[in-house]
Amino acid sequence: MLSHKTKYALKALLYLAQQEEGFIAKTMDIAEGANIPKKFLEQILLELKRGHFVSSKQGKLGGYYLVKSKNEITLADIHRLFDGAIALLPCASINFYEPCSDCKTESECLLRLGLLAIRDKTLSAMESITIASLIKK
């Protein structure tokens, strides 16, 4: 399940992606346009900035804008930034792998094999959905 933070980050990116290229949006405009609580949005935008998805310009005409193409930003990218692993358990994760302490061996764990299949299908779907593809639908 997506956290509120991830959902709001995606909504903010969708808002920015729908603006004219080079448009700089004020936090308040994003909050109102994407229906996101402003205080929460400020934290999210800072994390998106640290993740190199958006950048900001200071001053009276300042605000936020996309630095990564809307064609390149995937659901998987944003999920990993805010929610971490896509896999249901750490032993099935690619980027956040940890062995389970209650399994004798991973190769014999029937649960892990199923979770690897789920992870692969979920990851494939999430990587194929970009911000641009969501706007087109």
Side-chain angles (χ1 to χ4, degrees):
M1 187 176 309
L2 291 179
S3 66
H4 278 30
K5 211 172 198 183
T6 301
K7 179 182 174 184
Y8 290 154
L10 290 166
K11 288 176 71 171
L13 290 168
L14 287 165
Y15 177 86
L16 290 172
Q18 292 177 78
Q19 309 309 310
E20 290 182 33
E21 193 158 332
F23 180 81
I24 298 175
K26 297 195 178 311
T27 306
M28 183 56 86
D29 295 335
I30 300 169
E32 288 176 5
N35 197 26
I36 303 168
K38 186 178 180 283
K39 205 86 163 135
F40 202 17
L41 177 62
E42 291 169 351
Q43 298 168 11
I44 291 165
L45 289 169
L46 287 174
E47 286 188 56
L48 286 170
K49 187 175 178 179
R50 279 192 290 264
H52 307 287
F53 294 100
V54 302
S55 192
S56 63
K57 183 177 178 185
Q58 299 297 317
K60 186 177 179 182
L61 301 174
Y64 286 88
Y65 57 95
L66 291 178
V67 290
K68 194 169 184 181
S69 168
K70 61 187 172 187
N71 294 306
E72 295 175 19
I73 303 171
T74 68
L75 288 179
D77 295 331
I78 305 308
H79 185 280
R80 281 187 174 132
L81 180 65
F82 290 96
D83 289 337
I86 291 169
L88 296 175
L89 284 178
C91 68
S93 180
I94 295 171
N95 295 331
F96 300 92
Y97 171 82
E98 287 181 28
C100 291
S101 60
D102 57 342
C103 290
K104 291 180 183 176
T105 66
E106 284 183 357
S107 60
E108 294 176 16
C109 179
L110 300 177
L111 179 58
R112 183 173 185 268
L113 295 174
L115 294 177
L116 289 172
I118 292 169
R119 181 215 56 209
D120 290 345
K121 289 183 190 286
T122 304
L123 181 58
S124 176
M126 291 179 84
E127 286 180 334
S128 71
I129 300 171
T130 64
I131 295 297
S133 71
L134 291 172
I135 293 169
K136 291 177 187 174
K137 293 183 178 178

